[in-house]
Amino acid sequence: MKSLTPLCLLAVCASLALSKPTSEKKDRVHHSIDLGERDPEDQKGFQFDHNAFLGKETAKTFDQLTPEESKERLGKIVDRIDQNKDGLVTAEELTTWIKRAQNRYIDANVKRNWKDYDSNQDDRVSWDEYKNATYGYYLGEEFNDVADKEAYKKMLRRDERRFKMADKDGDLIATREEFTAFLHPEEFDYMKKLVVTETIEDIDKDGDGMVDVKEYISDMYTPEEGQPEPDWVRNEKEQFRDFRDANKDGKMDHSEIEHWILPADYDHAESEAKHLIHESDIDQDGKLSKEEFLEKYHRFVGSAMTDYGEMMVEHDEL
């Protein structure tokens, strides 16, 4: 398992009545709320930074705190990040923290779902266990009780394909690592091609197996009548023309889409760490003191009790 790539985090509901297939419309990997590209509509906000710095779930808990409480907890987190205890946080230390925060989210997500799908408690999740927990009622009714029967059938086929791809030994029974690959395929090299295939299937509306600029923009933006096109949309069109469409044929093929959503030799955690330092480094020394963290606390944490204590314990265990 790689330490970190852009995340496409999947919500898998626990209860049968509320179960939803993993293949429903989701953010592109590169628009992940964790560490893909920054959401264009959040350019002036800090939610992306909060999610990257704390992990998605912990970031939510900070949103319920007063500014004073947020600052207090942030100060204690900074003490943890500062590994050599010199009073300054380097880009390397911050990168390490961000990677741990993201891996912590993945581990918690897998743990939460594991107990819901391992129905016979044999410490493995079979395809039948997952399928029955997620689709069981609908399968018995031939999906007649859902509004879009064909869409659910398609989701079932996609989930089965992904499960089989994640299941390295082909026994249709997932170990914890294989189940992690199923829920978070973007984290595993051997699942990369499937992530790209699923992305194409979601965006490609004309069925040609490629993505043109209209499909690319439509995936992230729906125009409103009478409203001007936002600057970021025009920028995305330029990005498509100048960079995404490498061979300049007007469309992105499989390899171009892989480069877009899963770029090689690019450390998203390191990039976010450098961004946070750049935006918060008041004295411009390339490092952050606790005072600078607290002065710019709104960039790192939200405010309005938190699972902060759990976060500290789990961080110690990493």
PDB file of all heavy atoms in Angstrom, residues 203-234:
ATOM      1  N   ILE A 203     -17.746   9.906 -16.505  1.00  0.00           N
ATOM      2  CA  ILE A 203     -17.722  11.192 -17.199  1.00  0.00           C
ATOM      3  C   ILE A 203     -18.099  11.082 -18.675  1.00  0.00           C
ATOM      4  O   ILE A 203     -18.698  11.992 -19.243  1.00  0.00           O
ATOM      5  CB  ILE A 203     -16.318  11.833 -17.082  1.00  0.00           C
ATOM      6  CG1 ILE A 203     -15.903  11.946 -15.615  1.00  0.00           C
ATOM      7  CG2 ILE A 203     -16.302  13.219 -17.710  1.00  0.00           C
ATOM      8  CD1 ILE A 203     -14.517  12.521 -15.418  1.00  0.00           C
ATOM      9  N   ASP A 204     -17.743   9.978 -19.299  1.00  0.00           N
ATOM     10  CA  ASP A 204     -17.928   9.801 -20.742  1.00  0.00           C
ATOM     11  C   ASP A 204     -19.406   9.607 -21.078  1.00  0.00           C
ATOM     12  O   ASP A 204     -19.967   8.532 -20.886  1.00  0.00           O
ATOM     13  CB  ASP A 204     -17.111   8.581 -21.194  1.00  0.00           C
ATOM     14  CG  ASP A 204     -17.365   8.230 -22.650  1.00  0.00           C
ATOM     15  OD1 ASP A 204     -17.719   9.137 -23.427  1.00  0.00           O
ATOM     16  OD2 ASP A 204     -17.208   7.045 -23.002  1.00  0.00           O
ATOM     17  N   LYS A 205     -20.031  10.644 -21.588  1.00  0.00           N
ATOM     18  CA  LYS A 205     -21.466  10.600 -21.862  1.00  0.00           C
ATOM     19  C   LYS A 205     -21.807  10.050 -23.244  1.00  0.00           C
ATOM     20  O   LYS A 205     -22.895   9.527 -23.447  1.00  0.00           O
ATOM     21  CB  LYS A 205     -22.078  12.004 -21.722  1.00  0.00           C
ATOM     22  CG  LYS A 205     -21.869  12.635 -20.348  1.00  0.00           C
ATOM     23  CD  LYS A 205     -22.360  11.744 -19.222  1.00  0.00           C
ATOM     24  CE  LYS A 205     -22.150  12.393 -17.863  1.00  0.00           C
ATOM     25  NZ  LYS A 205     -22.503  11.500 -16.744  1.00  0.00           N
ATOM     26  N   ASP A 206     -20.879  10.183 -24.197  1.00  0.00           N
ATOM     27  CA  ASP A 206     -21.203   9.712 -25.549  1.00  0.00           C
ATOM     28  C   ASP A 206     -20.715   8.290 -25.814  1.00  0.00           C
ATOM     29  O   ASP A 206     -20.886   7.751 -26.907  1.00  0.00           O
ATOM     30  CB  ASP A 206     -20.657  10.662 -26.617  1.00  0.00           C
ATOM     31  CG  ASP A 206     -19.139  10.816 -26.563  1.00  0.00           C
ATOM     32  OD1 ASP A 206     -18.478   9.975 -25.907  1.00  0.00           O
ATOM     33  OD2 ASP A 206     -18.619  11.767 -27.178  1.00  0.00           O
ATOM     34  N   GLY A 207     -20.090   7.680 -24.818  1.00  0.00           N
ATOM     35  CA  GLY A 207     -19.729   6.270 -24.918  1.00  0.00           C
ATOM     36  C   GLY A 207     -18.573   5.954 -25.830  1.00  0.00           C
ATOM     37  O   GLY A 207     -18.414   4.801 -26.247  1.00  0.00           O
ATOM     38  N   ASP A 208     -17.704   6.927 -26.101  1.00  0.00           N
ATOM     39  CA  ASP A 208     -16.576   6.650 -26.990  1.00  0.00           C
ATOM     40  C   ASP A 208     -15.320   6.225 -26.231  1.00  0.00           C
ATOM     41  O   ASP A 208     -14.260   6.030 -26.823  1.00  0.00           O
ATOM     42  CB  ASP A 208     -16.277   7.851 -27.883  1.00  0.00           C
ATOM     43  CG  ASP A 208     -15.772   9.068 -27.099  1.00  0.00           C
ATOM     44  OD1 ASP A 208     -15.799   9.023 -25.849  1.00  0.00           O
ATOM     45  OD2 ASP A 208     -15.362  10.051 -27.740  1.00  0.00           O
ATOM     46  N   GLY A 209     -15.438   6.113 -24.903  1.00  0.00           N
ATOM     47  CA  GLY A 209     -14.298   5.668 -24.111  1.00  0.00           C
ATOM     48  C   GLY A 209     -13.278   6.751 -23.836  1.00  0.00           C
ATOM     49  O   GLY A 209     -12.192   6.464 -23.312  1.00  0.00           O
ATOM     50  N   MET A 210     -13.603   7.989 -24.157  1.00  0.00           N
ATOM     51  CA  MET A 210     -12.710   9.117 -23.914  1.00  0.00           C
ATOM     52  C   MET A 210     -13.522  10.273 -23.331  1.00  0.00           C
ATOM     53  O   MET A 210     -14.749  10.213 -23.271  1.00  0.00           O
ATOM     54  CB  MET A 210     -11.985   9.525 -25.199  1.00  0.00           C
ATOM     55  CG  MET A 210     -11.037   8.452 -25.731  1.00  0.00           C
ATOM     56  SD  MET A 210     -10.007   9.006 -27.116  1.00  0.00           S
ATOM     57  CE  MET A 210     -11.226   8.986 -28.441  1.00  0.00           C
ATOM     58  N   VAL A 211     -12.823  11.325 -22.918  1.00  0.00           N
ATOM     59  CA  VAL A 211     -13.476  12.473 -22.294  1.00  0.00           C
ATOM     60  C   VAL A 211     -13.115  13.737 -23.053  1.00  0.00           C
ATOM     61  O   VAL A 211     -11.932  14.090 -23.149  1.00  0.00           O
ATOM     62  CB  VAL A 211     -13.053  12.607 -20.817  1.00  0.00           C
ATOM     63  CG1 VAL A 211     -13.610  13.892 -20.214  1.00  0.00           C
ATOM     64  CG2 VAL A 211     -13.513  11.395 -20.012  1.00  0.00           C
ATOM     65  N   ASP A 212     -14.135  14.421 -23.609  1.00  0.00           N
ATOM     66  CA  ASP A 212     -13.867  15.684 -24.290  1.00  0.00           C
ATOM     67  C   ASP A 212     -14.054  16.828 -23.296  1.00  0.00           C
ATOM     68  O   ASP A 212     -14.436  16.622 -22.139  1.00  0.00           O
ATOM     69  CB  ASP A 212     -14.755  15.854 -25.528  1.00  0.00           C
ATOM     70  CG  ASP A 212     -16.243  15.854 -25.203  1.00  0.00           C
ATOM     71  OD1 ASP A 212     -16.617  16.262 -24.083  1.00  0.00           O
ATOM     72  OD2 ASP A 212     -17.045  15.441 -26.072  1.00  0.00           O
ATOM     73  N   VAL A 213     -13.792  18.048 -23.744  1.00  0.00           N
ATOM     74  CA  VAL A 213     -13.797  19.182 -22.831  1.00  0.00           C
ATOM     75  C   VAL A 213     -15.183  19.441 -22.263  1.00  0.00           C
ATOM     76  O   VAL A 213     -15.335  19.814 -21.089  1.00  0.00           O
ATOM     77  CB  VAL A 213     -13.244  20.450 -23.525  1.00  0.00           C
ATOM     78  CG1 VAL A 213     -14.177  20.914 -24.654  1.00  0.00           C
ATOM     79  CG2 VAL A 213     -13.009  21.565 -22.501  1.00  0.00           C
ATOM     80  N   LYS A 214     -16.221  19.198 -23.052  1.00  0.00           N
ATOM     81  CA  LYS A 214     -17.583  19.407 -22.560  1.00  0.00           C
ATOM     82  C   LYS A 214     -17.896  18.428 -21.437  1.00  0.00           C
ATOM     83  O   LYS A 214     -18.474  18.808 -20.405  1.00  0.00           O
ATOM     84  CB  LYS A 214     -18.584  19.252 -23.705  1.00  0.00           C
ATOM     85  CG  LYS A 214     -20.026  19.495 -23.292  1.00  0.00           C
ATOM     86  CD  LYS A 214     -20.971  19.354 -24.484  1.00  0.00           C
ATOM     87  CE  LYS A 214     -22.423  19.585 -24.053  1.00  0.00           C
ATOM     88  NZ  LYS A 214     -23.350  19.449 -25.212  1.00  0.00           N
ATOM     89  N   GLU A 215     -17.526  17.176 -21.622  1.00  0.00           N
ATOM     90  CA  GLU A 215     -17.746  16.166 -20.585  1.00  0.00           C
ATOM     91  C   GLU A 215     -16.910  16.465 -19.346  1.00  0.00           C
ATOM     92  O   GLU A 215     -17.369  16.297 -18.211  1.00  0.00           O
ATOM     93  CB  GLU A 215     -17.410  14.775 -21.132  1.00  0.00           C
ATOM     94  CG  GLU A 215     -18.370  14.313 -22.217  1.00  0.00           C
ATOM     95  CD  GLU A 215     -17.864  13.101 -22.995  1.00  0.00           C
ATOM     96  OE1 GLU A 215     -16.613  12.935 -23.084  1.00  0.00           O
ATOM     97  OE2 GLU A 215     -18.693  12.338 -23.511  1.00  0.00           O
ATOM     98  N   TYR A 216     -15.704  16.911 -19.576  1.00  0.00           N
ATOM     99  CA  TYR A 216     -14.787  17.254 -18.484  1.00  0.00           C
ATOM    100  C   TYR A 216     -15.373  18.361 -17.609  1.00  0.00           C
ATOM    101  O   TYR A 216     -15.399  18.254 -16.381  1.00  0.00           O
ATOM    102  CB  TYR A 216     -13.461  17.690 -19.104  1.00  0.00           C
ATOM    103  CG  TYR A 216     -12.434  18.238 -18.144  1.00  0.00           C
ATOM    104  CD1 TYR A 216     -11.690  17.409 -17.316  1.00  0.00           C
ATOM    105  CD2 TYR A 216     -12.180  19.618 -18.090  1.00  0.00           C
ATOM    106  CE1 TYR A 216     -10.725  17.924 -16.456  1.00  0.00           C
ATOM    107  CE2 TYR A 216     -11.218  20.136 -17.236  1.00  0.00           C
ATOM    108  CZ  TYR A 216     -10.490  19.284 -16.423  1.00  0.00           C
ATOM    109  OH  TYR A 216      -9.547  19.802 -15.572  1.00  0.00           O
ATOM    110  N   ILE A 217     -15.872  19.418 -18.229  1.00  0.00           N
ATOM    111  CA  ILE A 217     -16.440  20.538 -17.479  1.00  0.00           C
ATOM    112  C   ILE A 217     -17.771  20.150 -16.854  1.00  0.00           C
ATOM    113  O   ILE A 217     -18.056  20.497 -15.695  1.00  0.00           O
ATOM    114  CB  ILE A 217     -16.612  21.773 -18.383  1.00  0.00           C
ATOM    115  CG1 ILE A 217     -15.235  22.279 -18.859  1.00  0.00           C
ATOM    116  CG2 ILE A 217     -17.376  22.876 -17.660  1.00  0.00           C
ATOM    117  CD1 ILE A 217     -14.320  22.743 -17.746  1.00  0.00           C
ATOM    118  N   SER A 218     -18.601  19.417 -17.569  1.00  0.00           N
ATOM    119  CA  SER A 218     -19.921  19.039 -17.060  1.00  0.00           C
ATOM    120  C   SER A 218     -19.825  18.202 -15.797  1.00  0.00           C
ATOM    121  O   SER A 218     -20.759  18.192 -14.982  1.00  0.00           O
ATOM    122  CB  SER A 218     -20.701  18.268 -18.131  1.00  0.00           C
ATOM    123  OG  SER A 218     -20.986  19.085 -19.234  1.00  0.00           O
ATOM    124  N   ASP A 219     -18.721  17.494 -15.626  1.00  0.00           N
ATOM    125  CA  ASP A 219     -18.554  16.661 -14.449  1.00  0.00           C
ATOM    126  C   ASP A 219     -18.398  17.489 -13.175  1.00  0.00           C
ATOM    127  O   ASP A 219     -18.694  17.016 -12.078  1.00  0.00           O
ATOM    128  CB  ASP A 219     -17.334  15.752 -14.623  1.00  0.00           C
ATOM    129  CG  ASP A 219     -17.133  14.814 -13.445  1.00  0.00           C
ATOM    130  OD1 ASP A 219     -18.048  14.021 -13.169  1.00  0.00           O
ATOM    131  OD2 ASP A 219     -16.077  14.887 -12.800  1.00  0.00           O
ATOM    132  N   MET A 220     -17.959  18.740 -13.309  1.00  0.00           N
ATOM    133  CA  MET A 220     -17.705  19.567 -12.122  1.00  0.00           C
ATOM    134  C   MET A 220     -18.520  20.843 -12.082  1.00  0.00           C
ATOM    135  O   MET A 220     -18.526  21.536 -11.065  1.00  0.00           O
ATOM    136  CB  MET A 220     -16.209  19.909 -12.052  1.00  0.00           C
ATOM    137  CG  MET A 220     -15.676  20.675 -13.230  1.00  0.00           C
ATOM    138  SD  MET A 220     -13.877  20.980 -13.126  1.00  0.00           S
ATOM    139  CE  MET A 220     -13.256  19.498 -13.911  1.00  0.00           C
ATOM    140  N   TYR A 221     -19.249  21.139 -13.173  1.00  0.00           N
ATOM    141  CA  TYR A 221     -19.959  22.431 -13.203  1.00  0.00           C
ATOM    142  C   TYR A 221     -21.225  22.326 -14.034  1.00  0.00           C
ATOM    143  O   TYR A 221     -21.211  21.812 -15.157  1.00  0.00           O
ATOM    144  CB  TYR A 221     -19.038  23.507 -13.780  1.00  0.00           C
ATOM    145  CG  TYR A 221     -19.725  24.825 -14.082  1.00  0.00           C
ATOM    146  CD1 TYR A 221     -20.169  25.646 -13.042  1.00  0.00           C
ATOM    147  CD2 TYR A 221     -19.927  25.253 -15.388  1.00  0.00           C
ATOM    148  CE1 TYR A 221     -20.798  26.859 -13.299  1.00  0.00           C
ATOM    149  CE2 TYR A 221     -20.541  26.470 -15.660  1.00  0.00           C
ATOM    150  CZ  TYR A 221     -20.982  27.263 -14.611  1.00  0.00           C
ATOM    151  OH  TYR A 221     -21.599  28.457 -14.877  1.00  0.00           O
ATOM    152  N   THR A 222     -22.327  22.806 -13.464  1.00  0.00           N
ATOM    153  CA  THR A 222     -23.589  22.901 -14.185  1.00  0.00           C
ATOM    154  C   THR A 222     -23.960  24.369 -14.285  1.00  0.00           C
ATOM    155  O   THR A 222     -24.190  25.028 -13.257  1.00  0.00           O
ATOM    156  CB  THR A 222     -24.710  22.144 -13.449  1.00  0.00           C
ATOM    157  OG1 THR A 222     -24.345  20.770 -13.316  1.00  0.00           O
ATOM    158  CG2 THR A 222     -26.023  22.238 -14.227  1.00  0.00           C
ATOM    159  N   PRO A 223     -24.006  24.926 -15.489  1.00  0.00           N
ATOM    160  CA  PRO A 223     -24.292  26.356 -15.636  1.00  0.00           C
ATOM    161  C   PRO A 223     -25.706  26.697 -15.186  1.00  0.00           C
ATOM    162  O   PRO A 223     -26.629  25.887 -15.321  1.00  0.00           O
ATOM    163  CB  PRO A 223     -24.098  26.599 -17.138  1.00  0.00           C
ATOM    164  CG  PRO A 223     -24.314  25.264 -17.775  1.00  0.00           C
ATOM    165  CD  PRO A 223     -23.808  24.253 -16.787  1.00  0.00           C
ATOM    166  N   GLU A 224     -25.858  27.893 -14.635  1.00  0.00           N
ATOM    167  CA  GLU A 224     -27.169  28.384 -14.238  1.00  0.00           C
ATOM    168  C   GLU A 224     -27.592  29.474 -15.203  1.00  0.00           C
ATOM    169  O   GLU A 224     -26.808  30.352 -15.540  1.00  0.00           O
ATOM    170  CB  GLU A 224     -27.113  28.931 -12.809  1.00  0.00           C
ATOM    171  CG  GLU A 224     -26.791  27.873 -11.760  1.00  0.00           C
ATOM    172  CD  GLU A 224     -26.790  28.446 -10.363  1.00  0.00           C
ATOM    173  OE1 GLU A 224     -27.274  29.589 -10.186  1.00  0.00           O
ATOM    174  OE2 GLU A 224     -26.294  27.761  -9.456  1.00  0.00           O
ATOM    175  N   GLU A 225     -28.824  29.389 -15.625  1.00  0.00           N
ATOM    176  CA  GLU A 225     -29.325  30.331 -16.621  1.00  0.00           C
ATOM    177  C   GLU A 225     -29.188  31.768 -16.127  1.00  0.00           C
ATOM    178  O   GLU A 225     -29.544  32.094 -14.994  1.00  0.00           O
ATOM    179  CB  GLU A 225     -30.794  30.025 -16.934  1.00  0.00           C
ATOM    180  CG  GLU A 225     -31.356  30.859 -18.081  1.00  0.00           C
ATOM    181  CD  GLU A 225     -32.766  30.454 -18.453  1.00  0.00           C
ATOM    182  OE1 GLU A 225     -33.255  29.441 -17.902  1.00  0.00           O
ATOM    183  OE2 GLU A 225     -33.373  31.142 -19.289  1.00  0.00           O
ATOM    184  N   GLY A 226     -28.630  32.600 -16.982  1.00  0.00           N
ATOM    185  CA  GLY A 226     -28.481  34.009 -16.658  1.00  0.00           C
ATOM    186  C   GLY A 226     -27.268  34.339 -15.821  1.00  0.00           C
ATOM    187  O   GLY A 226     -27.022  35.514 -15.526  1.00  0.00           O
ATOM    188  N   GLN A 227     -26.494  33.312 -15.426  1.00  0.00           N
ATOM    189  CA  GLN A 227     -25.312  33.540 -14.603  1.00  0.00           C
ATOM    190  C   GLN A 227     -24.044  33.459 -15.456  1.00  0.00           C
ATOM    191  O   GLN A 227     -23.937  32.586 -16.325  1.00  0.00           O
ATOM    192  CB  GLN A 227     -25.233  32.498 -13.482  1.00  0.00           C
ATOM    193  CG  GLN A 227     -26.372  32.580 -12.484  1.00  0.00           C
ATOM    194  CD  GLN A 227     -26.381  33.901 -11.736  1.00  0.00           C
ATOM    195  OE1 GLN A 227     -25.342  34.389 -11.286  1.00  0.00           O
ATOM    196  NE2 GLN A 227     -27.571  34.491 -11.609  1.00  0.00           N
ATOM    197  N   PRO A 228     -23.094  34.351 -15.253  1.00  0.00           N
ATOM    198  CA  PRO A 228     -21.852  34.312 -16.029  1.00  0.00           C
ATOM    199  C   PRO A 228     -21.019  33.092 -15.653  1.00  0.00           C
ATOM    200  O   PRO A 228     -21.109  32.571 -14.541  1.00  0.00           O
ATOM    201  CB  PRO A 228     -21.131  35.600 -15.621  1.00  0.00           C
ATOM    202  CG  PRO A 228     -21.662  35.915 -14.253  1.00  0.00           C
ATOM    203  CD  PRO A 228     -23.091  35.462 -14.264  1.00  0.00           C
ATOM    204  N   GLU A 229     -20.229  32.652 -16.592  1.00  0.00           N
ATOM    205  CA  GLU A 229     -19.360  31.502 -16.340  1.00  0.00           C
ATOM    206  C   GLU A 229     -18.249  31.913 -15.376  1.00  0.00           C
ATOM    207  O   GLU A 229     -17.552  32.904 -15.604  1.00  0.00           O
ATOM    208  CB  GLU A 229     -18.751  31.028 -17.659  1.00  0.00           C
ATOM    209  CG  GLU A 229     -17.914  29.777 -17.535  1.00  0.00           C
ATOM    210  CD  GLU A 229     -17.402  29.311 -18.881  1.00  0.00           C
ATOM    211  OE1 GLU A 229     -16.399  29.871 -19.360  1.00  0.00           O
ATOM    212  OE2 GLU A 229     -18.019  28.404 -19.458  1.00  0.00           O
ATOM    213  N   PRO A 230     -18.056  31.176 -14.285  1.00  0.00           N
ATOM    214  CA  PRO A 230     -17.008  31.532 -13.324  1.00  0.00           C
ATOM    215  C   PRO A 230     -15.623  31.484 -13.952  1.00  0.00           C
ATOM    216  O   PRO A 230     -15.377  30.732 -14.901  1.00  0.00           O
ATOM    217  CB  PRO A 230     -17.151  30.450 -12.242  1.00  0.00           C
ATOM    218  CG  PRO A 230     -18.527  29.906 -12.395  1.00  0.00           C
ATOM    219  CD  PRO A 230     -18.828  29.996 -13.858  1.00  0.00           C
ATOM    220  N   ASP A 231     -14.714  32.264 -13.392  1.00  0.00           N
ATOM    221  CA  ASP A 231     -13.348  32.291 -13.901  1.00  0.00           C
ATOM    222  C   ASP A 231     -12.702  30.920 -13.829  1.00  0.00           C
ATOM    223  O   ASP A 231     -11.937  30.534 -14.727  1.00  0.00           O
ATOM    224  CB  ASP A 231     -12.506  33.296 -13.104  1.00  0.00           C
ATOM    225  CG  ASP A 231     -12.894  34.738 -13.399  1.00  0.00           C
ATOM    226  OD1 ASP A 231     -13.527  34.983 -14.445  1.00  0.00           O
ATOM    227  OD2 ASP A 231     -12.573  35.613 -12.570  1.00  0.00           O
ATOM    228  N   TRP A 232     -12.988  30.157 -12.756  1.00  0.00           N
ATOM    229  CA  TRP A 232     -12.330  28.868 -12.605  1.00  0.00           C
ATOM    230  C   TRP A 232     -12.743  27.889 -13.701  1.00  0.00           C
ATOM    231  O   TRP A 232     -11.955  27.013 -14.079  1.00  0.00           O
ATOM    232  CB  TRP A 232     -12.569  28.268 -11.218  1.00  0.00           C
ATOM    233  CG  TRP A 232     -13.960  27.787 -10.917  1.00  0.00           C
ATOM    234  CD1 TRP A 232     -14.930  28.440 -10.234  1.00  0.00           C
ATOM    235  CD2 TRP A 232     -14.511  26.503 -11.268  1.00  0.00           C
ATOM    236  NE1 TRP A 232     -16.060  27.670 -10.130  1.00  0.00           N
ATOM    237  CE2 TRP A 232     -15.827  26.477 -10.753  1.00  0.00           C
ATOM    238  CE3 TRP A 232     -14.039  25.396 -11.958  1.00  0.00           C
ATOM    239  CZ2 TRP A 232     -16.677  25.370 -10.914  1.00  0.00           C
ATOM    240  CZ3 TRP A 232     -14.867  24.291 -12.124  1.00  0.00           C
ATOM    241  CH2 TRP A 232     -16.171  24.288 -11.603  1.00  0.00           C
ATOM    242  N   VAL A 233     -13.958  28.053 -14.235  1.00  0.00           N
ATOM    243  CA  VAL A 233     -14.388  27.185 -15.333  1.00  0.00           C
ATOM    244  C   VAL A 233     -13.577  27.488 -16.583  1.00  0.00           C
ATOM    245  O   VAL A 233     -13.120  26.585 -17.290  1.00  0.00           O
ATOM    246  CB  VAL A 233     -15.895  27.348 -15.604  1.00  0.00           C
ATOM    247  CG1 VAL A 233     -16.314  26.562 -16.846  1.00  0.00           C
ATOM    248  CG2 VAL A 233     -16.705  26.880 -14.391  1.00  0.00           C
ATOM    249  N   ARG A 234     -13.393  28.777 -16.866  1.00  0.00           N
ATOM    250  CA  ARG A 234     -12.562  29.150 -18.014  1.00  0.00           C
ATOM    251  C   ARG A 234     -11.134  28.640 -17.822  1.00  0.00           C
ATOM    252  O   ARG A 234     -10.489  28.173 -18.773  1.00  0.00           O
ATOM    253  CB  ARG A 234     -12.580  30.668 -18.193  1.00  0.00           C
ATOM    254  CG  ARG A 234     -13.911  31.216 -18.667  1.00  0.00           C
ATOM    255  CD  ARG A 234     -13.812  32.662 -19.119  1.00  0.00           C
ATOM    256  NE  ARG A 234     -13.581  33.556 -17.993  1.00  0.00           N
ATOM    257  CZ  ARG A 234     -14.562  34.073 -17.254  1.00  0.00           C
ATOM    258  NH1 ARG A 234     -15.820  33.770 -17.508  1.00  0.00           N
ATOM    259  NH2 ARG A 234     -14.284  34.888 -16.248  1.00  0.00           N
TER     260      ARG A 234
END
